[in-house]
Amino acid sequence: MSHTINHLKKLRLQRSELAVPGSSPEMIDKAANSAADFVFLDIEDAVAPPDKERARKNIIQALNDIDWRAKGKTVSVRINGLDTHYMYRDVVDVMEQAGDRLDTILVPKVGVPADLYMVEALVNQIEMARGFKTRVGLEALIETALGMANVEAIAATPGRLEAMHFGVADYAASNKARTVNIGGLNPDYPGDQWHFALSRMTVACRAYGLRAIDGPFGDFSDPEGYT
């Protein structure tokens, strides 16, 4: 055994995770009363550009109005990507107005460690300025070729990072891979086309003490395919 051992940074119950568009207060209420362990309120892919500001406000209200911890939920917010003009406002507004009610921030399309550094710098300053006692964690979505090429370096990022998610749909698009549905197998591919990516990300997570979270399965009408 190496003398260098990276213990698990943060243990959270994450058997099932429910993604909820911030543009739908009704779906947010349903998620709060669902059986899922982990809920992430989305301002990114599930929300159309004209609805993003409203979704952000809905999420802030839901974080403050619903006692997620009393319901046994870990609650996260997926912000918009660093390449958009929405991202900084997502972090600032959500953290300043509900940062003490939030467990993690999910950062999409992380490509290099500096992407997490930027988000962490904002979160650090807001927590200090507001005097929050809770510490919001970061989770990284690995869903591009660049992110997978740098996955070990991203996993080794010091600070708030506690988990990585595999974003299969955008990863497929980034690699120009042929797919039949989100998270499903391509019958023309000899084996599991996501095996390499999942294995590489999982090894990086295990090496650096992070939770490794699989991507979504899109076709909810196909339970056999999901299994």
Side-chain angles (χ1 to χ4, degrees):
M1 176 67 89
S2 169
H3 190 63
T4 300
I5 300 174
N6 295 302
H7 297 287
L8 185 65
K9 287 187 177 180
K10 182 74 175 182
L11 179 64
R12 296 187 191 272
L13 190 61
Q14 207 160 352
R15 299 168 300 186
S16 57
E17 183 159 351
L18 185 60
V20 187
S23 52
S24 175
E26 297 81 8
M27 293 182 73
I28 294 175
D29 288 339
K30 287 183 179 179
N33 294 305
S34 71
D37 300 317
F38 200 107
V39 173
F40 83 75
L41 307 176
D42 194 16
I43 326 178
E44 197 218 10
D45 281 353
V47 179
D51 298 327
K52 287 189 184 291
E53 288 191 18
R54 181 72 257 171
R56 190 188 299 134
K57 292 176 181 177
N58 291 341
I59 286 171
I60 292 168
Q61 183 174 347
L63 288 171
N64 286 311
D65 290 351
I66 299 171
D67 192 342
W68 296 88
R69 289 163 187 153
K71 292 178 178 291
K73 299 282 184 290
T74 296
V75 63
S76 178
V77 171
R78 179 165 70 170
I79 61 174
N80 284 282
L82 274 68
D83 60 333
T84 73
H85 65 276
Y86 305 107
M87 169 266 170
Y88 84 98
R89 200 78 260 166
D90 292 341
V91 177
V92 171
D93 287 2
V94 171
M95 281 298 305
E96 285 190 342
Q97 298 176 48
D100 57 341
R101 310 277 293 182
L102 183 63
D103 294 307
T104 71
I105 292 175
L106 180 57
V107 185
K109 298 178 179 67
V110 175
V112 295
D115 294 342
L116 293 174
Y117 183 89
M118 179 179 181
V119 178
E120 180 145 357
L122 287 172
V123 172
N124 284 344
Q125 292 185 25
I126 295 167
E127 281 187 353
M128 287 189 289
R130 285 288 191 263
F132 292 151
K133 301 303 180 186
T134 56
R135 178 178 167 87
V136 173
L138 297 184
E139 299 180 274
L141 258 168
I142 303 301
E143 49 185 340
T144 63
L146 181 64
M148 192 58 69
N150 293 309
V151 70
E152 292 86 6
I154 295 167
T157 302
R160 297 171 184 264
L161 182 64
E162 59 182 58
M164 281 186 173
H165 297 238
F166 179 54
V168 63
D170 283 316
Y171 182 77
S174 177
N175 282 278
K176 304 188 187 309
R178 293 180 60 195
T179 58
V180 292
N181 60 60
I182 295 173
L185 300 181
N186 187 335
D188 296 327
Y189 190 89
D192 182 351
Q193 70 194 108
W194 312 124
H195 181 263
F196 165 77
L198 282 167
S199 294
R200 184 173 178 186
M201 191 193 82
T202 301
V203 168
C205 287
R206 299 291 182 254
Y208 291 99
L210 307 176
R211 302 189 308 278
I213 311 300
D214 198 0
F217 183 80
D219 189 356
F220 54 81
S221 65
D222 182 12
E224 183 179 346
Y226 171 71
T227 301

